Amino acid sequence: MTAYHQLERRFTRIAAVADAIGILNWDCQTMMPAGAAPGRVEQTATLHGLLHELQTDPRLEDLLSQAEAEHAGPDPWQRANLREMRRSWLHAAAVPAELVEASSRASSECEMVWRSARAASDFALLRPSLEIVLERQREVGAAKATLLGGSPYEALLDAYEPGGRTAVIDALFDQVAGFLPELIERALEHQDSLPDPEPIPGPFPLEAQRTLGEHLMRAAGFDFERGRLDVSLHPFCGGATGDTRITTRYAQEEFLSALFGVVHETGHALYEQGRPEHWLFQPVGTARSMSIHESQSLLVEMQAARCRPFITYLAPLAQQTFGGEGACWSADNLLRHVTQVKRSFIRTEADEITYPAHVILRYRLEKAMVGGELAVADLPEAWAQGMRALLGITPPDDRRGCLQDIHWPGGGWGYFPTYTLGAMTAAQMFDAACRDDAELLPALGRGEFGPLVAWLRRQVHGHASLLTTEDLIESATGQPLNVAIYRRHLERRYLER
Amino acid sequence: MTAYHQLERRFTRIAAVADAIGILNWDCQTMMPAGAAPGRVEQTATLHGLLHELQTDPRLEDLLSQAEAEHAGPDPWQRANLREMRRSWLHAAAVPAELVEASSRASSECEMVWRSARAASDFALLRPSLEIVLERQREVGAAKATLLGGSPYEALLDAYEPGGRTAVIDALFDQVAGFLPELIERALEHQDSLPDPEPIPGPFPLEAQRTLGEHLMRAAGFDFERGRLDVSLHPFCGGATGDTRITTRYAQEEFLSALFGVVHETGHALYEQGRPEHWLFQPVGTARSMSIHESQSLLVEMQAARCRPFITYLAPLAQQTFGGEGACWSADNLLRHVTQVKRSFIRTEADEITYPAHVILRYRLEKAMVGGELAVADLPEAWAQGMRALLGITPPDDRRGCLQDIHWPGGGWGYFPTYTLGAMTAAQMFDAACRDDAELLPALGRGEFGPLVAWLRRQVHGHASLLTTEDLIESATGQPLNVAIYRRHLERRYLER
C-alpha cells in the first residue's frame, strides 16, 4: 500500500472517532439525563485523548513526508487531500500534549466561572481565569505559528478559517465599520417612517411549529434519511458524517425565532449533506471553513428565507398551519417582523444589520488581547468604547457587555470573524446565484429551493475542501470577497423597502 | 503512582470507550436515521479497535504482574478489582488480533445471511457461513482455554458467565430437564380446568402505556436522572455507566407485553443503577455475570410483578390508566393473562415454564457443536429431536426451529445457559428475600418495591463483581443454586393456582 493510501486509512479512523464524539455531543444536548454528565465528561475526554494520539502519531509524519515526495499524481482531489492532511497534522502536532491538556483544563474551569460571573455581572470574578485562558491560547497560537507561519492570532484563526490573514480581514472589516454606523442610523430612520410590525397572536402549538419547520427543511432538500431535527437549549448543527442532526428551541408564544432558527441550521445541514460522497471520511471531503459554513446557513436563512418572494409564499402557509386570522398574517407584516432593526447589547439577539458591529468589535478586541496590546483587565472599558463607536450604545453592565459570550472563556479565540465573513460571503454568493439562474427567485416565491440548492451543490458543497476559501469564493462568484456587494444587499433590504 | 493505580487509570479509559460504544449502540437502535448506518459501522468498528488496543497494550501485562506481586493489601475491593482486571486482560489478550477480526467478520457476514435464511426458512443457505462462524468460535475458545483453563466451550461461556463450568450447568439442567416435561404437562392440564383468560379490549394509546410503564419504573426505584425509557424494535437495557437506558416496543391493541417488557428491563436497569458509586468505572464495579443480570430482570418481572399481591395492585391501576371497564380487568383475569402456559416453537414468545426447555436445548446443542460432537449439518435434526424430548412438539420448519435466534450467527456462543441460570437464581433470591423480610410481599401488594429493592441493593447490586457468582448466590440466599427452589416456585404458580 502506498504511503498515501495508508494515510487515507488513518484519516478514516480519525474521522470515525471525531464522528463518535459528534454523536456523543448531540446526545449530551438533546437526550442525556442530567445525572449522566460526569460519565459523559469521562467518555469525551478519553475519545479526545485517543483522537489526539491518532492525529499526532509519529508514523503519520513519516507517511506524510513519504506521500508528499511520491505524490505528484494528477488527481487534484488526492493532492488537495494530502494538503489538508498536512494541515490537520500541523494543528495537532504543533501543540505539546501538556499544553493541549493545560489549555483544555483552563477553558473548562473558566467556562464554569463564567456562568457565575455572567449571572452576577461580575467581571472581576472572571478576570483571573480568563487571563489564564488567554495565556494558554497565546501559547497555543505561538506554538502553531512556528509551523503555520503568521502571527499567533492567525494561527488560532487558522483552526476555523484555514489560511485566514488579519491584513485581509482588517481591510474588509474596516470598510464595513466605515459605512455601518451611518447605515444603521439611516435604516432606523427609514424604519420609523414605516408602520410598526403588528403582533401575531399565539399561542403556537409546538407540534405545529415542528411540522412547519420540517416542511421547510424538506422543501430545502434536507435528507431525513441521513439526519434529524430535535430540541436543545442552544440550537446547533452537529452529529456525524452522513448523519446530520440539527436542533431548535420552541417557544409557545412566538414561532418566528424557532422557525428561522431551523432554516439557519438547515443551511448548515445542506452543506454537510452535500459533501462529496467519495471523500466523506477524508480531510478534503470536509467543510472548507467556518466562514463558508456560516455563509451556507446565512444564505438560506438571511438571503433566501427573508427575501420578499419567499415570505410571500411563507405567510399564508404559516397562517394555515396555525389557523391564524387577520392582517397580521400578511406577507408585508411577516417581512417587517423578520427584518426589524434594533440597536441591542446582545449579539445573539441582534438583527442582520447590527450583527456585524458586534462581530467586528469582538474581532478587534480578541486580536489585540492575543497580540498583547490589550490587557484582560482593560476589556470592559475597551468593549464599552467599541460599542459606542460601532453601534452608538453603551452596555449598562458587563453581563450585557463583555461577559455575554462563551467563546473566550471556552477557548474559542479566532472564531468570531467567521460570522461576518460568512454574512459577506452569503450575500455575494446569493447575488451570483441569482444572476446565474433567473429562475431562482421565482422558485423561492413558490417555496421551491431547488434552483438555489442546485447552485450551492455545484458551486460550494460539492467542492468541500478541494479549493482554498479564496479560490472557492472566486470560482463561485467570479471575484474575491467584495464588501460592495454585501453593502448593496443591506442597503436594498433596509433602506429601500 | 503504584502499578495498581496506573491500572485503575487505564481501566477507567477502557470503561469510557466501552461506554461511548454503549451510547452509540443505544442511538443506533432508537434515534439514528436509517441512512447513517454505514457511518455508524465505521465509528463502532474504530472504537472497538481502539478498545482492543487499550485492552491488549503490552504494558498492561507488566503492570498486572507488578501489581499482583506488590499487592497483598488488605482491601478486598482492590484485590477483587485486580482479579477482574486480569480476567479482562486474559479475554482480550488470549485472542490474536487477526482472529478477533476474522471472527467478527464471519459473524457480521453470517448475520446478514441469517436474515435471508430465516425469512426463507432455508437452513441450507445458512449452513456454510454458520460453519465458518463455529470454526472461528472454536478457535477463539481454544485460544482462551489455554489461558483460562477448561474446555473451549467453557472459555466462550466465561465471557458471559465468569467461572462457569459445564459440569455444574449439566447437573443443574439435567435436573430441570428431568422434571420439566411432566410439569408442563400437568400445568397445561391444570390450566384446562380453569376459565380461559377473558380478552381485554383495546386500543391502548401509546402515551398511556408509556405513562403506566414510567409509573412502575419510578415505583421500582428507577432513577430518571441517570436513565431513560425509549422505543426500539428489540427491547434492551443499555447506555453507559451512570446513564442506564431501557427500551420497549408498544402495540396499540395489547399492552401487557410492552408493560412487562418495561418491568423486565427495569430489573436490569436497577442492577446497573445500584452498582457501587466508588467503583463505577473499574472492572470490579461492573455487573457480576449475565446470569446474575438476567436474575435481576426476572426477579422484578417474573417473581415480583407476576405475584398475586402485585397483580392485585396493578389491575385497577391499569384499568384506570386506560379507562377500561368490565370483569376482564379483574386481578384474576390479568394474572391468567400473564401466567398463561402454551407449548410454542419460538423462545422469545415462550412463557415462564416452557422457556427453560428452549434454553436447555440450545445449551446442549451449542456445547456439542463447539465440542465437535455435533456437525452444523445435523443441527436441524438434533433440534427437532430435542424439542420433541423436552417440549413434546416438532417444529414444522427451520424458521420456527434452529433458524429463529441471532445468537449463533452473531457469534454469541456460550450465552444461552445464562437465561435459565438467571431464572433459577431469581427464584432462589426472591424466596430468600421474602423470608428475610416479611414486609416484602405486602409492600408489593401496595405497588411498593422498596423492601425488595433494598434487599437487592444490599445482597446483589452493591457487590458488583466483588464476589464470584457462586459466592454471591450463597451469601445472598444461604446456599448454592438449588433446583428444588426453582421447581417449587414453578409448581406453586402453575399447579396450585
Side-chain angles (χ1 to χ4, degrees):
Chain A
M1 213 189 308
T2 64
Y4 173 78
H5 282 102
Q6 288 183 59
L7 285 168
E8 279 204 347
R9 284 182 64 159
R10 281 170 178 258
F11 276 92
T12 299
R13 289 188 93 196
I14 288 172
V17 177
D19 278 344
I21 294 172
I23 296 295
L24 293 176
N25 284 342
W26 170 86
D27 182 85
C28 179
Q29 298 189 57
T30 56
M31 299 289 159
M32 190 183 79
R40 184 57 48 88
V41 168
E42 201 67 48
Q43 293 150 31
T44 45
T46 302
L47 292 195
H48 274 295
L50 290 169
L51 187 61
H52 193 251
E53 284 170 27
L54 292 174
Q55 288 171 326
T56 56
D57 187 334
R59 183 85 186 103
L60 207 55
E61 201 194 353
D62 299 342
L63 288 170
L64 281 169
S65 304
Q66 235 178 294
E68 283 158 354
E70 81 195 12
H71 215 275
D75 185 326
W77 281 92
Q78 288 191 2
R79 282 203 309 275
N81 199 24
L82 198 49
R83 178 194 70 212
E84 297 300 321
M85 287 169 170
R86 171 62 77 177
R87 205 188 134 259
S88 156
W89 180 83
L90 285 175
H91 271 281
V95 192
E98 312 79 60
L99 179 52
V100 169
E101 207 194 307
S103 173
S104 152
R105 198 178 324 111
S107 301
S108 299
E109 285 168 9
C110 189
E111 261 192 51
M112 281 190 293
V113 176
W114 167 74
R115 289 178 208 285
S116 313
R118 185 174 68 158
S121 195
D122 183 354
F123 183 75
L125 180 62
L126 181 70
R127 189 184 135 185
S129 59
L130 187 59
E131 283 171 344
I132 296 173
V133 170
L134 172 59
E135 198 43 44
R136 294 296 88 76
Q137 288 285 313
R138 293 174 72 178
E139 288 165 11
V140 169
K144 288 186 172 183
T146 60
L147 293 183
L148 288 165
S151 69
Y153 179 76
E154 286 173 325
L156 296 174
L157 170 69
D158 194 271
Y160 311 110
E161 199 55 35
R165 285 288 171 255
T166 51
V168 175
I169 299 174
D170 284 343
L172 293 167
F173 281 10
D174 286 351
Q175 290 179 65
V176 175
F179 70 74
L180 199 63
E182 197 200 321
L183 181 58
I184 293 170
E185 190 63 44
R186 287 170 57 203
L188 285 167
E189 278 166 20
H190 181 64
Q191 184 171 277
D192 282 345
S193 73
L194 301 169
D196 277 349
E198 192 181 331
I200 305 175
F204 306 97
L206 306 195
E207 196 48 39
Q209 291 193 50
R210 200 174 61 83
T211 304
L212 182 57
E214 286 187 356
H215 174 86
L216 297 189
M217 288 169 72
R218 281 208 178 78
F222 184 93
D223 179 2
F224 279 94
E225 277 291 297
R226 298 186 298 140
R228 295 176 51 99
L229 167 66
D230 293 279
V231 170
S232 70
L233 187 57
H234 302 287
F236 66 95
C237 171
T241 307
D243 191 358
T244 307
R245 304 184 179 192
I246 69 172
T247 67
T248 190
R249 181 172 56 159
Y250 301 109
Q252 192 90 29
E253 66 281 0
E254 196 271 319
F255 76 97
L256 286 166
S257 306
L259 187 65
F260 278 78
V262 167
V263 169
H264 179 92
E265 302 304 338
T266 298
H268 282 304
L270 293 177
Y271 192 9
E272 288 298 319
Q273 294 193 330
R275 286 160 46 197
E277 196 70 33
H278 183 69
W279 297 96
L280 277 184
F281 292 95
Q282 293 299 310
V284 74
T286 59
R288 175 62 286 180
S289 73
M290 286 304 107
S291 77
I292 297 296
H293 230 309
E294 191 68 9
S295 80
Q296 297 310 291
S297 57
L298 292 175
L299 240 154
V300 177
E301 184 208 345
M302 288 292 177
Q303 301 292 330
R306 275 180 169 81
C307 76
R308 178 172 288 278
F310 184 77
I311 294 291
T312 306
Y313 160 79
L314 179 63
L317 177 66
Q319 178 172 18
Q320 190 191 338
T321 301
F322 298 113
E325 282 183 7
C328 66
W329 288 98
S330 72
D332 273 345
N333 190 51
L334 209 60
L335 194 57
R336 276 196 288 275
H337 273 284
V338 299
T339 56
Q340 192 68 4
V341 180
K342 187 171 183 296
R343 288 189 175 107
S344 66
F345 299 112
I346 305 296
R347 174 184 61 84
T348 56
E349 296 166 5
D351 53 77
E352 184 181 19
I353 197 168
T354 56
Y355 202 101
H358 292 271
V359 170
I360 292 170
L361 170 67
R362 286 156 177 75
Y363 165 69
R364 289 172 172 175
L365 294 175
E366 70 176 13
K367 188 168 60 109
M369 284 190 279
V370 174
E373 298 137 29
L374 174 66
V376 169
D378 300 328
L379 178 60
E381 181 48 35
W383 184 286
Q385 274 181 15
M387 278 297 272
R388 273 193 296 275
L390 283 160
L391 211 48
I393 53 177
T394 307
D397 51 34
D398 289 333
R399 189 171 59 77
R400 281 168 283 185
C402 63
L403 286 176
Q404 68 185 270
D405 294 309
I406 197 175
H407 298 58
W408 291 337
W413 298 65
Y415 191 98
F416 277 125
T418 68
Y419 291 116
T420 290
L421 292 171
M424 295 169 60
T425 306
Q428 186 160 328
M429 284 185 177
F430 193 70
D431 178 71
C434 290
R435 279 187 288 106
D436 285 354
D437 185 351
E439 272 311 300
L440 196 153
L441 274 178
L444 284 173
R446 298 187 301 271
E448 294 163 15
F449 288 79
L452 172 61
V453 173
W455 190 92
L456 292 174
R457 291 268 184 260
R458 199 168 59 244
Q459 298 290 355
V460 183
H461 306 170
H463 291 298
S465 287
L466 178 65
L467 309 175
T468 65
T469 301
E470 286 180 359
D471 287 349
L472 180 67
I473 292 172
E474 197 151 343
S475 99
T477 70
Q479 58 181 316
L481 217 44
N482 181 344
V483 174
I485 299 173
Y486 178 51
R487 180 178 186 170
R488 196 169 61 217
H489 158 69
L490 294 177
E491 287 176 346
R492 280 206 188 134
R493 178 167 290 172
Y494 294 98
L495 301 184
E496 298 166 23
R497 50 180 160 180
Chain B
M1 211 189 313
T2 64
Y4 172 77
H5 283 102
Q6 289 182 57
L7 284 168
E8 278 204 348
R9 285 183 63 161
R10 282 170 177 259
F11 276 93
T12 299
R13 289 188 91 196
I14 288 171
V17 177
D19 278 344
I21 294 171
I23 296 296
L24 292 176
N25 283 343
W26 170 85
D27 183 85
C28 179
Q29 298 188 56
T30 56
M31 298 289 160
M32 190 183 79
R40 183 58 50 87
V41 169
E42 201 67 49
Q43 294 150 31
T44 44
T46 303
L47 292 194
H48 274 294
L50 290 168
L51 186 61
H52 192 251
E53 283 170 27
L54 293 174
Q55 288 171 325
T56 56
D57 186 335
R59 181 86 185 101
L60 207 55
E61 201 193 354
D62 298 344
L63 288 169
L64 281 169
S65 303
Q66 235 179 294
E68 284 158 354
E70 82 195 11
H71 214 273
D75 185 327
W77 280 92
Q78 288 191 3
R79 282 203 309 275
N81 199 24
L82 197 49
R83 178 193 71 211
E84 297 301 321
M85 288 170 170
R86 170 62 78 178
R87 205 189 135 257
S88 157
W89 180 84
L90 285 176
H91 272 281
V95 192
E98 312 79 63
L99 180 52
V100 170
E101 207 194 306
S103 173
S104 152
R105 196 176 329 110
S107 301
S108 300
E109 286 168 7
C110 189
E111 260 191 53
M112 281 190 294
V113 176
W114 167 72
R115 289 178 208 285
S116 314
R118 185 174 67 159
S121 194
D122 183 353
F123 182 76
L125 180 62
L126 180 70
R127 189 186 136 185
S129 58
L130 188 59
E131 283 171 344
I132 297 172
V133 169
L134 173 59
E135 199 43 45
R136 294 295 88 76
Q137 288 285 311
R138 294 174 71 179
E139 288 165 11
V140 169
K144 289 186 173 183
T146 60
L147 294 182
L148 288 165
S151 70
Y153 179 77
E154 285 173 326
L156 296 174
L157 171 69
D158 193 272
Y160 311 109
E161 199 55 34
R165 285 289 172 252
T166 50
V168 175
I169 300 174
D170 284 343
L172 292 167
F173 282 10
D174 285 351
Q175 289 179 67
V176 175
F179 69 72
L180 198 64
E182 197 200 321
L183 180 58
I184 293 170
E185 189 63 43
R186 286 170 59 204
L188 285 167
E189 277 167 21
H190 181 63
Q191 183 170 275
D192 282 344
S193 73
L194 302 170
D196 276 348
E198 194 182 327
I200 305 175
F204 307 96
L206 306 196
E207 195 49 37
Q209 291 193 50
R210 201 173 61 84
T211 304
L212 183 57
E214 286 187 356
H215 174 86
L216 297 189
M217 287 169 73
R218 278 206 180 79
F222 184 93
D223 178 2
F224 279 94
E225 277 291 295
R226 298 187 297 140
R228 296 177 50 98
L229 168 65
D230 293 278
V231 170
S232 70
L233 188 58
H234 302 287
F236 66 96
C237 171
T241 307
D243 190 0
T244 306
R245 304 185 179 191
I246 70 172
T247 67
T248 190
R249 182 170 56 157
Y250 300 110
Q252 192 88 31
E253 64 282 0
E254 197 272 320
F255 76 97
L256 286 167
S257 306
L259 187 65
F260 278 78
V262 167
V263 169
H264 179 93
E265 302 304 338
T266 298
H268 283 304
L270 293 176
Y271 191 9
E272 288 298 318
Q273 294 192 330
R275 288 160 44 198
E277 196 71 33
H278 182 69
W279 296 96
L280 276 185
F281 293 95
Q282 293 299 310
V284 74
T286 58
R288 174 61 285 180
S289 73
M290 286 303 107
S291 76
I292 298 296
H293 229 308
E294 190 69 10
S295 80
Q296 297 309 292
S297 56
L298 292 175
L299 240 154
V300 177
E301 183 208 346
M302 288 293 177
Q303 302 292 328
R306 274 181 170 82
C307 76
R308 178 172 287 280
F310 184 77
I311 294 291
T312 306
Y313 159 79
L314 178 63
L317 176 67
Q319 177 172 18
Q320 192 192 336
T321 301
F322 298 113
E325 281 182 7
C328 66
W329 288 97
S330 72
D332 273 345
N333 191 51
L334 209 60
L335 193 57
R336 275 196 289 274
H337 273 283
V338 299
T339 55
Q340 192 66 7
V341 180
K342 186 170 184 297
R343 289 187 174 108
S344 67
F345 299 111
I346 305 296
R347 174 184 60 85
T348 56
E349 297 166 5
D351 54 79
E352 184 180 20
I353 196 168
T354 57
Y355 202 101
H358 292 271
V359 170
I360 293 171
L361 169 67
R362 286 156 178 76
Y363 164 70
R364 288 172 172 174
L365 294 175
E366 70 176 13
K367 187 169 60 112
M369 284 190 279
V370 174
E373 299 137 28
L374 174 66
V376 169
D378 299 328
L379 177 59
E381 181 48 36
W383 185 286
Q385 274 182 15
M387 278 297 273
R388 271 193 296 275
L390 283 159
L391 211 48
I393 53 177
T394 308
D397 51 34
D398 289 333
R399 189 171 58 79
R400 282 169 281 185
C402 63
L403 286 176
Q404 68 185 269
D405 293 309
I406 197 174
H407 299 56
W408 291 336
W413 298 66
Y415 190 98
F416 277 124
T418 68
Y419 291 116
T420 291
L421 293 171
M424 295 168 62
T425 306
Q428 186 161 328
M429 284 185 175
F430 193 71
D431 178 72
C434 289
R435 279 186 287 106
D436 285 353
D437 184 351
E439 272 310 300
L440 196 152
L441 274 178
L444 284 174
R446 298 187 302 272
E448 294 163 17
F449 288 79
L452 172 61
V453 173
W455 190 92
L456 292 174
R457 291 268 185 261
R458 198 167 61 244
Q459 297 289 356
V460 183
H461 305 172
H463 291 297
S465 287
L466 178 64
L467 309 175
T468 64
T469 301
E470 286 180 359
D471 288 349
L472 180 67
I473 292 173
E474 197 151 344
S475 99
T477 69
Q479 60 182 311
L481 216 45
N482 181 344
V483 173
I485 300 174
Y486 178 53
R487 179 178 186 171
R488 197 171 61 217
H489 157 70
L490 294 176
E491 287 176 347
R492 279 206 188 132
R493 179 166 289 171
Y494 295 98
L495 300 183
E496 297 166 22
R497 50 180 160 180

